[in-house]
Amino acid sequence: MRGRFARAARLAALLVLAGTVQAAPVHASEVAHPFTVLGTPDRRDVVTWGASADRMGDAVADRSYRLVVRTSVGGGDLRIRLSNAFGDRPVTFDSVYAGLRGDGAELVHGSNRPLTFSGARSVVVPAGGVALSDPLPGRVPAAADLVISVHTPDAAGPATGHWMAMQTSYATQGDHTAEESARSWTETTGSWTYLDAVSVRPPTGTAAVVALGDSITDGWQSTTDLDRRWPDYLARRLRTAHTQVKGVANEGISGNKVLADGAGQSALNRLRRDVLSQPGVRTVFLFEGVNDLKAHTGVTAQDLIAGYREIARRVHAAGKCVVAATVAPFKGWSEWDPAAEAVRQEVNTYLRGSGDFDAVTDFDHILRSPYDHERMLPFFDGGDHIHPNDKGMQAMADAVDLARLDCTGRR
């Protein structure tokens, strides 16, 4: 009994103090401020694009960003969410526009329109907070290259954004947000700065799925600028499927873990902000774990299982469904060893048969070589033996049972 109580105490500590299993620094801005939302959410809205927030480098004053994102579901009354989740001071956005992309940084003529926040053209977002724009009249199509242009006159301290966008966006000094021409937008960037979600108002009953994951979900080793991450392929399938789930938000962070902060806050610590706070979410798709077990921090299968169960409990408590995916093979990656493989196999056995989730997608089965189940099939291998290429990403999306994403039994 003493051993059982000691093990339970250790698991509880992992869940409460997620960073304790890894000697990674946790910045004060990640924990010092509550998650606050400026603006009033609307139950009719559905997230059409999302990217998980993380701490970036130092912010630059009088800077503009022209951010290119791909919508998943179409609808009217577009709204965006600007994030200062990792800032250590308020940040002002004094000019924000939304338009449709023509070519490069150039916008479709007449499409660029200003966004407001509680009726004002500018908004001050507190440290740790996000700001929702007012609805923008007009319809935004599905599968559109939407461009959000933002200007920050006084930005300083840590910036918030998403480092690995796998999408080219643009930046410039000074305020050029209202311009539809590409003339001033001479700098390129591979990150999304400050923007972390876009929502629309689609037909009644439409819902979204959020993919909570690591670099595989983030799209590493897929082709940049072609939207070939596995959630992108999933969005393409959902557009033509007879299902109410049409929106897809990609909340992957490269290097992310279930239990430990480091490359972004852990899945447990960011679940509310990145996932449950998004509008119109019906189902959470959980695909994480390889970074916990390959880092050789002493995380056991039982530790990870406790983390998965806690995520499932929180998602169900929020009235949403959760679909889990098995951990994919990674033999050949530098951190692979038989001990980590044994944990992966035990975790996958749990995922396949636990009943803690509303459905399970077996990415391990889809991606593994029939000749060596510990290794990814070379046809799907992006080259580093852990990240799938475009074909692998598509195979993953094709393996998802779309009917299970509707998840009507739980709601």
Side-chain angles (χ1 to χ4, degrees):
M1 292 294 289
R2 184 178 301 169
R4 181 182 302 173
F5 288 134
R7 184 166 61 252
R10 177 170 180 264
L11 295 180
L14 283 171
L15 295 178
V16 175
L17 303 173
T20 60
V21 295
Q22 177 185 349
V26 179
H27 298 284
S29 60
E30 297 179 8
V31 296
H33 308 289
F35 175 58
T36 57
V37 180
L38 302 182
T40 305
D42 193 303
R43 293 176 61 87
R44 296 170 294 176
D45 294 344
V46 173
V47 62
T48 187
W49 174 88
S52 46
D54 197 1
R55 179 188 170 111
M56 300 181 69
D58 289 338
V60 179
D62 193 25
R63 188 79 165 157
S64 292
Y65 301 92
R66 176 153 283 181
L67 308 168
V68 181
V69 304
R70 185 81 165 175
T71 61
S72 55
V73 60
D77 292 338
L78 174 141
R79 304 180 77 181
I80 70 166
R81 195 170 86 169
L82 298 175
S83 180
N84 190 28
F86 293 88
D88 61 6
R89 68 201 73 188
V91 61
T92 300
F93 300 94
D94 65 349
S95 184
V96 183
Y97 278 73
L100 296 176
R101 184 165 73 151
D103 182 55
E106 185 175 358
L107 305 185
V108 173
H109 180 66
S111 70
N112 200 31
R113 294 190 290 161
L115 290 164
T116 59
F117 299 81
S118 298
R121 286 288 190 95
S122 66
V123 62
V124 180
V125 185
V130 298
L132 295 174
S133 72
D134 300 327
L136 185 67
R139 180 172 176 78
V140 178
D145 281 346
L146 181 69
V147 178
I148 307 300
S149 302
V150 303
H151 177 252
T152 58
D154 60 352
T160 295
H162 189 87
W163 274 110
M164 197 179 78
M166 305 300 294
Q167 170 67 54
T168 300
S169 290
Y170 304 89
T172 188
Q173 203 65 18
D175 183 4
H176 299 276
T177 54
E179 300 171 10
E180 294 182 335
S181 166
R183 187 177 302 110
S184 300
W185 299 90
T186 55
E187 301 176 45
T188 60
T189 174
S191 302
W192 290 304
T193 306
Y194 296 119
L195 179 71
D196 80 341
V198 178
S199 63
V200 294
R201 194 165 297 166
T204 301
T206 305
V209 56
V210 175
L212 176 60
D214 50 39
S215 57
I216 300 177
T217 297
D218 216 5
W220 185 244
Q221 296 292 6
S222 68
T223 304
T224 298
D225 289 335
L226 292 184
D227 300 301
R228 291 182 176 177
R229 316 163 193 83
W230 75 261
D232 298 323
Y233 284 110
L234 179 63
R236 293 184 183 98
R237 289 188 64 204
L238 288 170
R239 277 199 293 275
T240 59
H242 297 291
T243 174
Q244 290 185 324
V245 175
K246 298 294 184 183
V248 178
N250 185 336
E251 300 294 338
I253 296 180
S254 181
N256 201 228
K257 297 180 176 68
V258 174
L259 300 173
D261 290 343
Q265 291 179 315
S266 70
L268 283 161
N269 284 342
R270 65 190 183 92
L271 180 65
R272 180 189 170 207
R273 182 190 64 241
D274 287 353
V275 179
L276 299 181
S277 69
Q278 301 291 0
V281 175
R282 181 169 298 171
T283 301
V284 177
F285 195 107
L286 173 63
F287 176 45
E288 288 216 45
V290 69
N291 288 314
D292 296 77
L293 63 91
K294 74 178 178 56
H296 307 302
T297 57
V299 169
T300 68
Q302 291 307 309
D303 294 338
L304 262 178
I305 289 168
Y308 291 135
R309 283 180 169 151
E310 178 63 12
I311 290 173
R313 184 193 69 78
R314 294 184 195 176
V315 173
H316 286 151
K320 307 178 192 304
C321 295
V322 57
V323 175
T326 51
V327 182
F330 67 103
K331 187 177 182 179
W333 176 262
S334 61
E335 294 171 293
W336 183 93
D337 64 14
E341 179 63 26
V343 175
R344 188 181 76 90
Q345 295 291 350
E346 187 175 348
V347 165
N348 282 349
T349 297
Y350 152 76
L351 289 170
R352 293 183 181 108
S354 72
D356 290 333
F357 305 96
D358 300 284
V360 176
T361 300
D362 202 341
F363 283 164
D364 171 47
H365 179 77
I366 294 299
L367 293 174
R368 72 192 184 197
S369 167
Y371 308 107
D372 184 352
H373 288 184
E374 299 173 349
R375 188 181 296 272
M376 191 183 301
L377 186 70
F379 182 70
F380 292 148
D381 194 338
D384 61 11
H385 312 302
I386 193 170
H387 298 99
N389 57 21
D390 292 353
K391 292 294 185 183
M393 295 284 183
Q394 184 172 8
M396 292 167 67
D398 288 346
V400 177
D401 185 343
L402 302 187
R404 302 305 294 270
L405 296 182
D406 258 334
C407 209
T408 54
R410 170 78 60 174
R411 292 180 300 114

